Amino acid sequence: MTVGRRRLLKVLTAIPVLGGLVAVLSPLFRFLKPNDGPWQIFTIKPDLPKGGAQVVGKTTALAKPWDFFYFTYVQKFVQYDPTGYKAANIAGVAVRLPKKVKFENASGFVGYKGETDIALFQRICPHLGCIFNFIPDFHEITAGYGGYVPPEFEKHALMGCPCHLSIYDPAFPNDPGNVISGPAPRGARYFEFEIRGEDIVVTGAELGGIA
């Protein structure tokens, strides 16, 4: 009976000790594998944002060159909180280009398999995260975005950031969305997308667009 009581006391004493040990080691586990999920401490999963396939518009809305529309893509980041994830909205623009291009940028991200004249850009400026605009008339770029005068081959619709006046060319040869003026360190980020019938379906987003 005495031995049983001592054993019970040892067990009761060990519980807070084990709890404290887990609490101490938990940050180490989170450091080694962050953002696993609420109860997936030892599960190895890619720590990548997910958004799932989302229809953002119709190809019929882009009937002729330089037609465009804005859309919002909801991306989900795995988070270690009761909800399990955090949603983030990414502003985007879809544009019908005057010619087909290969939608792979200088960073190696492939937005579309093969060539396409439909371009999908993230509107988050790579400079400091402002939302840039699609400007159908390049004269407006010159008048309201720092006085930039594009060369002859770029006198068409452009994209401009109102915060620090970075200018992007959605039809830049071999690198659509390339920055052509201003402080942005790189071109506009892409969405990964597919064309399913008349639906334009975003299946992913190039990382780094959300600060």
Side-chain angles (χ1 to χ4, degrees):
M1 190 69 176
T2 303
V3 174
R5 187 181 297 120
R6 287 179 178 175
R7 184 172 298 172
L8 177 61
L9 290 174
K10 287 182 179 179
V11 171
L12 292 176
T13 304
I15 290 175
V17 173
L18 290 174
L21 184 62
V22 170
V24 170
L25 293 178
S26 179
L28 177 61
F29 291 141
R30 303 308 307 164
F31 174 77
L32 294 176
K33 186 65 185 77
N35 295 335
D36 269 339
W39 307 105
Q40 303 171 8
I41 296 175
F42 300 108
T43 301
I44 304 301
K45 290 184 176 179
D47 188 22
L48 296 174
K50 299 179 180 178
Q54 297 170 31
V55 177
V56 297
K58 301 285 187 181
T59 56
T60 50
L62 306 174
K64 60 183 184 298
W66 300 120
D67 280 352
F68 76 100
F69 62 80
Y70 292 139
F71 64 89
T72 299
Y73 178 72
V74 180
Q75 195 174 40
K76 296 177 180 177
F77 291 82
V78 179
Q79 294 286 309
Y80 187 58
D81 62 20
T83 65
Y85 72 89
K86 176 182 179 182
N89 294 331
I90 303 177
V93 58
V95 185
R96 173 78 74 175
L97 300 177
K99 62 180 180 180
K100 290 188 175 182
V101 297
K102 192 172 183 179
F103 219 67
E104 178 178 351
N105 63 18
S107 301
F109 184 85
V110 178
Y112 185 84
K113 296 178 180 177
E115 292 189 337
T116 178
D117 56 355
I118 292 179
L120 268 64
F121 299 101
Q122 298 182 38
R123 294 174 58 210
I124 301 173
C125 183
H127 178 220
L128 290 178
C130 294
I131 303 299
F132 62 71
N133 301 312
F134 182 82
I135 312 295
D137 184 350
F138 72 88
H139 292 96
E140 187 178 339
I141 285 286
T142 302
Y145 288 78
Y148 176 73
V149 179
E152 284 299 321
F153 76 98
E154 286 181 327
K155 287 184 176 179
H156 51 61
L158 297 171
M159 301 184 293
C161 181
C163 294
H164 303 98
L165 309 178
S166 291
I167 309 299
Y168 306 89
D169 182 358
F172 193 84
N174 301 319
D175 190 11
N178 185 42
V179 60
I180 55 177
S181 179
R186 51 156 291 167
R189 290 182 173 83
Y190 293 170
F191 286 103
E192 181 183 71
F193 69 99
E194 300 173 358
I195 305 296
R196 302 178 185 174
E198 292 185 350
D199 290 337
I200 301 173
V201 183
V202 171
T203 57
E206 185 178 1
L207 300 182
I210 297 177

